[in-house]
């Protein structure tokens, strides 16, 4: 987390573009069949692990993962950085009502924070040029996008070079949490990697199929990779003489 925050701070200070993506189980699974999403992940400058399932899977495969960097926690840290250092964020996404709540909560938590601007995510394709122009003209130091996958990825693929924003980060449903409409799971459930179960509890109709599908597919992917990993690590048997 500390390393990611400093990379973002340096990007905003030096006005050098840095795109961050938070990788969770759903995104990893969907990227295997969505080329736009896969390209967005692979072309990002910083990829943080947002899902405990990926942390555990990576460690089982011998990959050195220090810690999970949840997108919602990173957003909170970066808003504090913006308030401290005078950087101006831009929020894009969610409904107008929810976005207003998220902005109000951010200002209440960080009195020194100044927004470059904000806009809901319910704009039509023929309005995209206006949205891009608004963001570019705002002079924002960072852009937090709360639009669903793969719409966010397609928006960035088409307009990333025109935005003129140093630090860009997709925040998924973090505006829902920031606004207070959705509660974070208790710390114990977070540590056990059960935040997805808490989200299903809060929004069963919207979330149960998404998590059921992606968790099952992820378990199959991880199981296959563990078998391959063990086969590669197994010593070769000597060929006996006849």
């Amino acid at each position: 987390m500390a390393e990611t925050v400093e990379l973002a701070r340096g990007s905003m200070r030096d006005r050098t573009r840095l795109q961050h993506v938070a990788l969770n189980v759903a995104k990893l699974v969907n990227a295997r069949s969505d080329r736009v999403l896969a390209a967005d992940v692979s072309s990002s400058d910083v990829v943080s692990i947002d899902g405990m399932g990926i942390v555990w899977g990576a460690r089982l495969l011998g990959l050195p993962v220090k810690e999970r960097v949840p997108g919602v926690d990173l957003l909170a840290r970066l808003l504090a950085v913006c308030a401290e250092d005078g950087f101006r964020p831009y929020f894009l996404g969610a409904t107008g009502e929810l976005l207003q709540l998220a902005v109000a909560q951010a200002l209440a938590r960080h009195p020194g924070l100044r927004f470059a601007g904000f806009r809901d995510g319910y704009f039509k394709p023929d309005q995209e040029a206006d949205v891009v122009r608004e963001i570019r003209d705002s002079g924002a130091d960072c852009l937090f996008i709360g639009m669903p996958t793969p719409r966010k990825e397609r928006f960035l693929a088409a307009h990333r070079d025109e935005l003129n924003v140093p630090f860009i980060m997709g925040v998924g449903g973090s505006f829902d949490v920031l606004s207070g409409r959705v509660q974070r799971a208790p710390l114990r459930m977070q540590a056990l990697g059960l935040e997805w179960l808490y989200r299903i509890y809060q929004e069963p109709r919207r979330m149960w199929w998404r998590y059921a599908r992606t968790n099952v597919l992820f378990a199959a992917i991880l199981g296959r990779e563990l078998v391959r990993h063990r086969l590669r690590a197994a010593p070769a048997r000597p060929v006996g003489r006849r």
Side-chain angles (χ1 to χ4, degrees), residues 147-165:
M147 297 193 300
T149 296
R151 190 175 176 217
K152 171 182 67 67
E153 289 75 22
R154 293 192 174 118
F155 177 82
L156 285 177
H159 305 294
R160 179 168 28 219
D161 295 334
E162 307 168 56
L163 294 170
N164 195 31
V165 179

Side-chain angles (χ1 to χ4, degrees), residues 153-191:
E153 289 75 22
R154 293 192 174 118
F155 177 82
L156 285 177
H159 305 294
R160 179 168 28 219
D161 295 334
E162 307 168 56
L163 294 170
N164 195 31
V165 179
F167 182 76
I168 300 172
M169 175 182 170
V171 296
S174 296
F175 291 161
D176 299 76
V177 177
L178 181 59
S179 71
R181 287 281 181 88
V182 172
Q183 300 297 316
R184 290 289 301 279
L187 292 176
R188 182 62 176 167
M189 291 189 77
Q190 292 182 40

Side-chain angles (χ1 to χ4, degrees), residues 17 23 39 42 46 74 77 88 120 123 126 129 146 182-183 213 234:
R17 196 177 74 192
L23 187 65
S42 62
V46 179
L74 179 59
R77 291 282 294 273
R88 299 191 306 144
D120 69 74
F123 51 87
D126 61 1
V182 172
Q183 300 297 316
R213 171 185 165 274

Side-chain angles (χ1 to χ4, degrees), residues 14-29:
D14 301 334
R15 299 291 300 181
T16 55
R17 196 177 74 192
L18 188 81
Q19 183 175 335
H20 172 277
V21 64
L23 187 65
N24 56 26
V25 165
K27 188 168 289 186
L28 184 143
V29 168

Side-chain angles (χ1 to χ4, degrees), residues 111-131:
L113 185 64
R114 291 185 306 123
F115 274 85
F118 51 89
R119 176 157 182 162
D120 69 74
Y122 288 83
F123 51 87
K124 298 177 181 178
D126 61 1
Q127 296 176 303
E128 282 195 6
D130 292 334
V131 174

